[in-house]
């Protein structure tokens, strides 16, 4: 499903019934799927964690885990994901570009101080 549908984040278990999650992760990355992947698994060795991350997982969480930690890790992945940040925000004739901190109104550049744009969070 992750190869044909867009998701904000993928929580992927290493041990799946038909195909190992590590192979699913590898396949998604080889097809250019950039969705953040959190590998969730009982495999807890250092070697397993390194393999999971090197295969393309963005984070790795070992079972058993606290639900609060799972949510925090998902939120962290979403904060860092370019997929959740709009390239340019537009409302009527106001345009805001979060990556360049540029604002235009009616096609004209609006001068803002660095301090006023430093706290932008999208």
């Amino acid at each position: 499903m992750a190869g044909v549908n867009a998701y904000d984040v993928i929580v992927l278990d290493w041990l799946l019934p038909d195909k190992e999650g590590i192979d699913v992760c590898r396949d998604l990355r080889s097809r250019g799927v950039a969705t953040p992947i959190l590998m969730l698994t009982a495999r807890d060795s250092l070697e397993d964690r390194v393999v999971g991350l090197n295969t393309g997982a963005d984070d790795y969480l070992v079972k058993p885990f606290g639900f609060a930690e799972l949510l925090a890790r998902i939120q962290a992945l979403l904060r860092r994901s370019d997929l959740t940040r709009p390239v340019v925000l537009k409302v009527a004739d106001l345009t805001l570009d979060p990556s360049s901190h540029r604002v235009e109104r009616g096609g004209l550049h609006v001068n803002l101080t660095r301090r006023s744009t430093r706290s932008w969070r999208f």
Side-chain angles (χ1 to χ4, degrees):
M1 296 301 295
V4 294
N5 294 311
Y7 296 99
D8 294 332
V9 68
I10 298 169
V11 178
L12 183 61
D13 198 317
W14 188 314
L15 301 175
L16 297 173
D18 296 328
K19 185 175 185 178
E20 288 199 342
I22 199 74
D23 294 325
V24 172
C25 182
R26 184 179 295 112
D27 291 348
L28 289 171
R29 294 305 188 223
S30 71
R31 290 188 303 192
V33 175
T35 305
I37 296 174
L38 173 85
M39 186 69 64
L40 181 66
T41 180
R43 299 183 70 147
D44 63 352
S45 74
L46 175 60
E47 182 179 332
D48 289 333
R49 292 188 304 255
V50 169
V51 167
L53 294 168
N54 284 339
T55 300
D58 297 283
D59 199 359
Y60 195 99
L61 184 58
V62 176
K63 297 175 188 177
F65 57 88
F67 192 69
E69 181 181 7
L70 173 64
L71 289 178
R73 286 175 180 268
I74 289 171
Q75 290 169 345
L77 287 172
L78 290 172
R79 273 195 309 271
R80 293 190 304 263
S81 173
D82 290 336
L83 299 173
T84 60
R85 294 185 191 134
V87 177
V88 176
L89 302 168
K90 291 185 178 187
V91 177
D93 68 340
L94 179 67
T95 304
L96 184 139
D97 185 344
S99 61
S100 68
H101 291 240
R102 184 172 173 84
V103 177
E104 290 183 3
R105 178 87 185 214
L108 300 173
H109 176 72
V110 176
N111 289 316
L112 299 174
T113 65
R114 287 232 56 56
R115 183 176 186 178
S116 66
T117 62
R118 200 175 320 149
S119 63
W120 289 2
R121 303 268 191 265
F122 299 99

